[in-house]
Amino acid sequence: MDRKFLIKLGITLSLLVYLGFKVDWHQINAAISHINLLPFAFSYLILLLCSIPLAMRLRILLQPTVLQFGLKRLIQVQFISQLYSLLLPSGIGISIARWYKITQNRLGRRVFVVITLIERAMLTLTLLLCTGIPLLLSKDEAIQSFRSSVLPIIFLLVFGCFFFFSFFLHPWVYEKFSLTVRWIQSKFSSGLLRRMLGIYEDCGLYVDKRHLLLKGFAHHLVFQALNFLRFYLVFVALGVDLPFITILWISGLVLLILSLPITIAGFGLRETGFAWVLALYGIDPERGVILGAMISLQVFLNIGIGAILNMFEK
């Protein structure tokens, strides 16, 4: 087995074992018995709907490339990739699986890396803003210390995202860096370096087609709005009484934590993240663990759909 996979599996199991010893199982059983299934079911239906704007975003970004697929196929790939990501690190697992399913490790591999970077930048930027802005406006005394320590990091990362998009939104920036790229290519012969510089050159596909980035980002915002509504309904199903704006930044922060590729499909990390953040409001960690487990259950349901689609894939 791959050594990196074993490390991530070890971290995942360690987090789950830690939570198993840390929580009060009587409280967990009591809280589970009071879960409202109706909003939880609606939240899963919204998760299913999320696959549509995600597929539409990808279809738009694929337009200037040789990789052309119908919307139905891209939705299928989205579900099947979640199946494969079960054995891959959280945060990047679905992206890796999608890269293989779309390119078959042949045509368009490099340009799909560019698309993946753009999608990750869109996701990171929206999560940072949806976490940072509510925290900035919050007057809650319970989180002031946490707020003052995390906000500088968030806004530094927001600046990094805007800097990344400046390559596409301002052709002058791209052209200036292109001169540096060509100079590096003329001085060094490393194969890995050439591939990395080639990825930068492929970014030029979107410099002249900035409208595709804006259209893709619009679909991304639809996905993100649906995803946060889904999280809100899971909170409601569990009976965690917090304002929507608080749920917004908590969900955004946990999703940012899940972008760290240190566990398998986010299991363990998701539950630990919610338990830790909810503790800032004096909410029992057991509720955070259940919240994470409910969302993990939805991920498993999607993986099940991916497994069925994979069985019948031609």
Side-chain angles (χ1 to χ4, degrees):
M1 255 189 208
D2 182 74
R3 183 168 173 267
K4 291 181 180 178
F5 173 77
L6 290 176
I7 292 173
K8 293 176 178 66
L9 179 62
I11 294 173
T12 301
L13 293 176
S14 298
L15 287 172
L16 292 174
V17 170
Y18 169 78
L19 290 173
F21 282 105
K22 194 75 174 176
V23 299
D24 186 330
W25 286 96
H26 293 293
Q27 287 190 41
I28 285 185
N29 290 332
I32 289 175
S33 66
H34 290 92
I35 290 175
N36 189 337
L37 294 179
L38 187 59
F40 181 68
F42 272 117
S43 72
Y44 182 64
L45 288 176
I46 290 172
L47 177 60
L48 293 177
L49 287 175
C50 283
S51 62
I52 298 175
L54 282 176
M56 293 176 71
R57 181 188 69 185
L58 179 56
R59 191 180 184 189
I60 289 168
L61 295 176
L62 286 172
Q63 284 183 16
T65 75
V66 296
L67 302 168
Q68 300 298 312
F69 296 89
L71 187 63
K72 180 181 176 182
R73 174 56 182 163
L74 293 177
I75 292 174
Q76 290 175 335
V77 167
Q78 188 69 27
F79 282 104
I80 294 172
S81 297
Q82 292 183 65
L83 168 66
Y84 290 131
S85 72
L86 189 61
L87 300 177
L88 296 168
S90 60
I92 61 174
I94 292 179
S95 297
I96 294 172
R98 246 183 5 150
W99 173 82
Y100 179 78
K101 294 298 293 184
I102 294 291
T103 68
Q104 293 297 309
N105 201 24
R106 294 193 299 269
L107 193 65
R109 291 179 299 171
R110 201 173 67 182
V111 73
F112 199 80
V113 172
V114 174
I115 291 172
T116 301
L117 290 174
I118 292 171
E119 289 180 322
R120 297 303 300 180
M122 288 180 179
L123 176 64
T124 304
L125 178 60
T126 50
L127 291 180
L128 287 169
L129 292 176
C130 289
T131 303
I133 293 174
L135 278 176
L136 182 65
L137 299 176
S138 175
K139 303 298 181 184
D140 196 328
E141 292 296 329
I143 61 167
Q144 289 308 304
S145 176
F146 172 79
R147 173 178 173 272
S148 60
S149 61
V150 77
L151 275 178
I153 300 172
I154 288 176
F155 287 111
L156 180 64
L157 293 173
V158 167
F159 174 79
C161 289
F162 278 115
F163 179 73
F164 173 80
F165 282 115
S166 71
F167 287 91
F168 306 101
L169 300 178
H170 300 284
W172 180 85
V173 178
Y174 178 80
E175 288 300 327
K176 290 297 181 183
F177 272 83
S178 292
L179 296 175
T180 306
V181 167
R182 294 188 188 103
W183 180 84
I184 294 174
Q185 285 178 323
S186 67
K187 297 294 182 181
F188 301 96
S189 59
S190 167
L192 176 61
L193 181 60
R194 281 200 304 272
R195 285 193 290 272
M196 292 176 65
L197 296 176
I199 290 172
Y200 175 80
E201 290 179 345
D202 283 344
C203 291
L205 284 173
Y206 298 96
V207 173
D208 298 325
K209 294 181 173 62
R210 295 188 294 277
H211 67 283
L212 294 179
L213 294 179
L214 296 175
K215 287 174 65 177
F217 191 65
H219 285 89
H220 173 77
L221 291 178
V222 173
F223 154 72
Q224 206 59 263
L226 288 172
N227 202 32
F228 281 125
L229 178 58
R230 165 203 165 209
F231 273 83
Y232 174 74
L233 289 174
V234 175
F235 273 77
V236 171
L238 189 56
V240 178
D241 187 19
L242 289 172
F244 178 78
I245 194 167
T246 301
I247 294 174
L248 180 65
W249 82 256
I250 288 175
S251 303
L253 182 62
V254 172
L255 288 170
L256 283 169
I257 293 171
L258 286 173
S259 66
L260 300 173
I262 58 174
T263 62
I264 303 300
F267 299 121
L269 190 60
R270 187 180 292 108
E271 292 75 12
T272 304
F274 275 115
W276 167 60
V277 180
L278 289 180
L280 297 173
Y281 288 94
I283 297 174
D284 295 334
E286 286 77 11
R287 284 188 176 270
V289 171
I290 298 171
L291 196 66
M294 291 168 72
I295 294 169
S296 293
L297 174 60
Q298 294 181 340
V299 173
F300 267 118
L301 291 174
N302 269 12
I303 288 171
I305 293 174
I308 294 170
L309 292 173
N310 191 58
M311 286 172 57
F312 292 99
E313 188 178 34
K314 294 180 180 179

